[in-house]
Every structure is written in C-alpha cells, then in structure tokens.
Amino acid sequence: MLTKLQNNDFANIVGGRRSVRNYDENIKISREELREMISEASLAPSSANMQPWRVVVVDTPEGKEKLKPLVQFNTLQNDTSSAMLLIFGDTESYLNVEAIYNEAVRQGKMPADVRDKQMEQIVNYFPNLPREMRIEIAKIDSSLFAMQLMLIARAHGYDTNPIGGFEHDQLAKTFEIDKSRYVPVMILSIGKAKEEGYESIRLSSEQITFWR
C-alpha cells in the first residue's frame, strides 16, 4: 500500500502524530504530484468497490479566498498550505459500478459471470437504501480514502491536517458540487510544515480494546 515508506516510517507516523497547522508558504506541490498521491490513495477499500470518494483540490488564491469564510477556525491551514483537499462522498456511486466492473472483466480481474451477479445485486439494493444509510456508507468509505491519502502524503514527504470544522452545509454549493448527491466528509490541508506542531496524546490500547 505504502511503497515509499521504509523501515520505521509507519511507526513514526502513527506514534509521533503531530497536529500541523502552519505550513511553509514557499512550498508548492505540483498538480502532477497531487494527482499521483490521489491515485495511490484510491487503492483504499470501499463497499462493493464503488469508490465513492471525490476530491476538490483548492490550490489557487481565488479558490482559497472562496474557502476562507467556510473554515473560520482553520484559516491558518488555508492561508499557508500548498492545497486544501475537499473530500466528498458520492451517495450515488452505484451509478459507476457498471463501468468499474466492465473494466475489471476486460483486464481479467473478474469473471464475467461474477460481474453480472454482483451488478444485479448492487443495482437492486443500493438505490433503494434510505438516504441516511447511503450517506453513512459514502462517509465511511471516503474516510478510509482520506486516511490513506494522509499516509501517502507523508510517504511523499508532506504533512497533512484533517479538518472537520467547516461550514458543511455550504461547501458543496460554494464549489459548485451537487449537494443532493455529494456529501462533505472532511478537508485535508497539505504542504510542508513550517512549525513542527504539538504532539497529541493517545489513549492506551488497554483503554480502547475490549476482549471477550
């Protein structure tokens, strides 16, 4: 999954997690590398492989100016990061399943009879789910993608900060995304840390694990 992580890098990421808020404004990540990181993160698992995550990359002064009023408690990340990645979940991701599964068959990764059986189940099941459940599925799967994107970014040598404090009801409309279909999940700021940031405390495994 994380081909660029070596030796104890993963342990350092998990064990020494710091909250980065202030980035080096002189560091600009190219769109080519951002695309590469998003592509690598898209290997994350998802329900029925429907891949509901969608990313709006805000990396221009104009885009950040539009975003600024929506992240009033997180403006430092917006002002200094190389980009702000708006993660949305597609509540109608089942509409892409035919194209995904057909390509899997074409590449020899899925037998045609398996495709046909699974597609029939998905088409009959997912559209009839209550909207609340489709939102929950989209958010869970998109969160897996977001976490993987944070690890991928670190493997590329960058820092990230997940942001949940923003105007959820305004994000899609502001960036011209269909809010009836796409639900905001989180915002990731990305760049090179200018300040190390404070190290956060974690509960021990004994406090969060229940054995039965």
Side-chain angles (χ1 to χ4, degrees), residues 16-30:
R17 176 68 191 171
R18 292 178 179 272
S19 183
V20 174
R21 307 295 178 90
N22 193 11
Y23 297 89
D24 185 343
E25 297 173 78
N26 297 314
I27 300 297
K28 185 67 175 177
I29 305 173
S30 70

Side-chain angles (χ1 to χ4, degrees), residues 3-4 14 59 89 92 105 111 116 119 149 167 204:
T3 56
K4 295 189 178 184
V14 176
D59 65 345
E92 299 178 13
V105 171
D116 296 342
M119 278 184 53
L149 182 53
E167 302 295 337
S204 69

Side-chain angles (χ1 to χ4, degrees), residues 119-183:
M119 278 184 53
E120 181 180 5
Q121 293 174 340
I122 290 169
V123 170
N124 289 331
Y125 178 70
F126 274 90
N128 297 314
L129 288 175
R131 175 171 168 79
E132 293 76 15
M133 188 172 293
R134 286 190 282 117
I135 289 175
E136 182 178 7
I137 292 170
K139 284 190 172 184
I140 290 173
D141 289 347
S142 298
S143 294
L144 290 172
F145 163 81
M147 184 71 252
Q148 182 137 306
L149 182 53
M150 292 175 69
L151 295 174
I152 292 292
R154 191 69 189 93
H156 279 250
Y158 301 111
D159 301 288
T160 56
N161 179 232
I163 298 170
F166 59 89
E167 302 295 337
H168 288 244
D169 59 336
Q170 299 178 41
L171 196 66
K173 182 179 180 181
T174 299
F175 289 91
E176 301 176 358
I177 302 295
D178 182 359
K179 67 177 183 179
S180 66
R181 175 170 177 173
Y182 302 102
V183 294

